[in-house]
């Protein structure tokens, strides 16, 4: 699965069919609500190769490459219509027929959209390219609509290790920022380290949640198994039956809480993953937007046919808005992580009560000695389930507490 490893970024080879731009460069374009180009920086014009007279007033799809799956644009527009920022790998088409890949962060504005692009260089990007090729080929072979192709993309992402598209784009932006910083000698950047650190903890917590869900499903059969064993060993109402009944009653509340934590749709674990992922993505957006502003500030006036001062004011206002959204997102992430940690530790405490009933079963098993039938095997299974659940709850709580602390720290620094 792609989400399981953060491989070293591949070395970039020269491609004569690719329109070049540097990993240090950031470029942007701004459109109205219809997607018509209103402005951009000099790097955007240079890389796409169109003259400004052709770009300004043209639909942004003038640079769309047919190799980019239509699913990507469907996902992008659905997010923008809901006034949410979105990120995506996009293969674009230059005026001379060459192509260029970008990771694009698209931000909604009051009167349109701003797309800020960086050069993708991460290992994740290298792995995603063949996925795009396969999806684009499927679109053509099966005549998929953009919506149907987006559904296929959504179905494929869990197979690659991502819960959904927001989780994928948050990971992708974090990986691209980290790879870019490494290439530019910025590997120790605190914001990039925070992105990677929180992202890694989130993936670890979600892996534990997945395993916890599986154990939780198996645990539900234990009271029934004990009842079956009891029916073979003693008359109705005997001690083993009583232990089975007590276990069923005591475990009911735990099973309900486990469902809320990791089993049912919209559980606490998934809610934290969604909230933290959104916070990480907003933090990455703020980072990219801030650097875009700095680069545009250093661009010679007159490099683009727009009012440089007015465009600068536009970009700075969006920078402040991105920073504010990142702070809010990180605060929400910290709250969600704290809630998951609290719930995990609460269930772990309740497990102590179940342990006492399990010990009673061991005592009864010892009394029966060689006549215990399948009771010993059932109790052995119960021992394993209890140990596994408590261990995973502790791991989830620990990861969540670290996420809470890091999100609070990063949010406080962003506010300073």
């Amino acid at each position: 699965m792609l989400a399981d490893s953060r491989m070293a970024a591949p070395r970039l080879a020269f491609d004569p069919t690719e329109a070049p731009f540097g990993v240090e460069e950031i470029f942007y374009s701004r459109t109205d609500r219809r997607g018509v180009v209103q402005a951009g920086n000099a790097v955007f014009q240079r890389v796409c190769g169109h003259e400004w007279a052709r770009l300004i007033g043209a639909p942004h799809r003038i640079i769309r490459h047919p190799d980019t799956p239509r699913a990507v644009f469907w996902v992008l527009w659905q997010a923008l219509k809901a006034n949410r920022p979105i990120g995506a790998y996009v293969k674009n088409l230059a005026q001379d027929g060459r192509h260029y890949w970008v990771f694009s962060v698209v931000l909604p504005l009051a009167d349109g959209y701003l797309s800020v692009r960086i050069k993708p260089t991460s290992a994740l990007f290298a792995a995603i390219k063949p996925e795009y090729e396969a999806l684009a080929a499927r679109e053509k072979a099966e005549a998929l609509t953009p919506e149907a192709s987006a559904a296929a993309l959504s179905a494929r992402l869990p197979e690659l290790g991502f819960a959904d598209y927001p989780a994928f784009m948050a990971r992708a932006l974090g990986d691209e920022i980290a790879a870019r910083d490494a290439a530019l000698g910025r590997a120790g950047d605190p914001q990039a380290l925070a992105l990677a650190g929180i992202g890694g903890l989130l993936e670890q917590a979600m892996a534990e949640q997945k395993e916890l869900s599986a154990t939780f499903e198996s645990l539900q059969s234990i009271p029934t198994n004990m009842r079956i064993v009891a029916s073979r060993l003693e008359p109705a109402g005997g001690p083993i039956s009583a232990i089975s009944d007590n276990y069923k009653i005591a475990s009911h509340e735990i099973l309900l809480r486990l469902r809320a934590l990791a089993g049912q749709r919209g559980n606490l674990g998934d809610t934290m993953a969604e909230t933290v992922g959104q916070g990480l993505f907003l933090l990455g957006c703020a980072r990219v937007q801030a650097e875009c502003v700095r680069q545009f500030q250093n661009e010679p006036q007159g490099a683009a046919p727009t009012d440089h001062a007015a465009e600068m004011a536009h970009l700075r206002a969006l920078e402040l808005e991105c920073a504010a959204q990142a702070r809010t997102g990180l605060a929400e992430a910290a709250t969600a992580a704290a809630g998951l940690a609290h719930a995990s530790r609460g269930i772990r405490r309740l497990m102590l009560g179940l342990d006492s009933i399990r010990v009673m079963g061991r005592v009864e098993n010892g009394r029966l000695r060689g006549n215990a039938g399948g009771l010993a095997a059932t109790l052995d299974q119960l021992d394993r389930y209890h140990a596994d659940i408590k261990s995973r709850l502790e791991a989830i709580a620990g990861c969540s507490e670290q996420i809470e602390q890091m999100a609070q720290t990063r949010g406080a620094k962003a506010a300073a």
Side-chain angles (χ1 to χ4, degrees), residues 342-356:
H342 179 76
S344 298
R345 296 211 183 278
I347 297 174
R348 200 178 189 286
R349 286 192 294 270
L350 287 176
M351 290 292 296
L352 297 177
L354 279 187
D355 282 343
S356 64

Side-chain angles (χ1 to χ4, degrees), residues 345-376:
R345 296 211 183 278
I347 297 174
R348 200 178 189 286
R349 286 192 294 270
L350 287 176
M351 290 292 296
L352 297 177
L354 279 187
D355 282 343
S356 64
I357 300 174
R358 178 173 56 86
V359 171
M360 292 170 59
R362 283 292 179 193
V363 171
E364 189 62 25
N365 180 68
R367 185 184 66 82
L368 294 172
R369 296 183 181 176
N371 300 317
L375 182 58

Side-chain angles (χ1 to χ4, degrees), residues 113-318:
Y113 309 102
L114 184 83
S115 176
V116 182
R117 278 92 99 191
I118 59 177
K119 189 180 188 70
T121 58
S122 73
L124 179 58
F125 167 58
I128 284 297
K129 288 170 72 174
E131 294 290 334
Y132 269 42
E133 291 173 5
L135 184 55
R138 185 177 171 187
E139 286 180 348
K140 294 175 183 176
E142 301 178 24
L144 295 179
T145 64
E147 184 175 7
S149 182
L153 175 61
S154 295
R156 175 62 175 154
L157 286 174
E159 298 172 3
L160 301 176
F162 302 98
D164 50 25
Y165 190 85
F168 166 71
M169 74 176 185
R171 164 70 184 278
L173 179 55
D175 279 15
E176 293 307 332
I177 289 175
R180 185 171 181 270
D181 282 348
L184 298 175
R186 303 176 187 167
D189 179 78
Q191 197 161 351
L193 292 174
L195 281 167
I198 295 176
L201 286 167
L202 179 60
E203 289 178 12
Q204 183 180 343
M206 292 305 97
E208 294 288 351
Q209 181 206 16
K210 183 177 180 181
E211 295 299 325
L212 179 62
S213 296
T215 303
F216 154 71
E217 293 297 333
S218 300
L219 181 66
Q220 296 182 81
S221 65
I222 290 294
T224 301
N225 292 344
M226 290 181 69
R227 263 289 185 184
I228 293 171
V229 170
S231 68
R232 294 199 301 261
L233 297 176
E234 62 184 15
I240 299 175
S241 297
I243 290 171
S244 173
D245 290 342
N246 288 338
Y247 188 92
K248 184 175 182 179
I249 293 170
S251 65
H252 179 69
E253 176 64 21
I254 293 177
L255 292 176
L256 290 178
R257 293 200 186 191
L258 281 172
R259 284 195 186 100
L261 182 81
Q264 65 193 24
R265 182 180 295 275
N267 61 68
L268 287 173
D270 289 348
T271 298
M272 187 194 76
E274 180 180 350
T275 306
V276 173
Q278 180 70 2
L280 290 177
F281 182 72
L282 290 171
L283 184 62
C285 288
R287 163 73 188 279
V288 170
Q289 176 62 16
E291 189 164 349
C292 178
V293 170
R294 289 196 300 272
Q295 290 198 13
F296 184 75
Q297 187 174 20
N298 295 327
E299 188 173 288
Q301 296 195 30
T306 52
D307 185 327
H308 190 277
E311 198 64 20
M312 191 69 206
H314 214 106
L315 292 174
R316 278 181 170 157
L318 187 57

Side-chain angles (χ1 to χ4, degrees), residues 38 40 52-53 56 302-307:
Q38 303 293 300
W52 279 118
I56 301 298
T306 52
D307 185 327

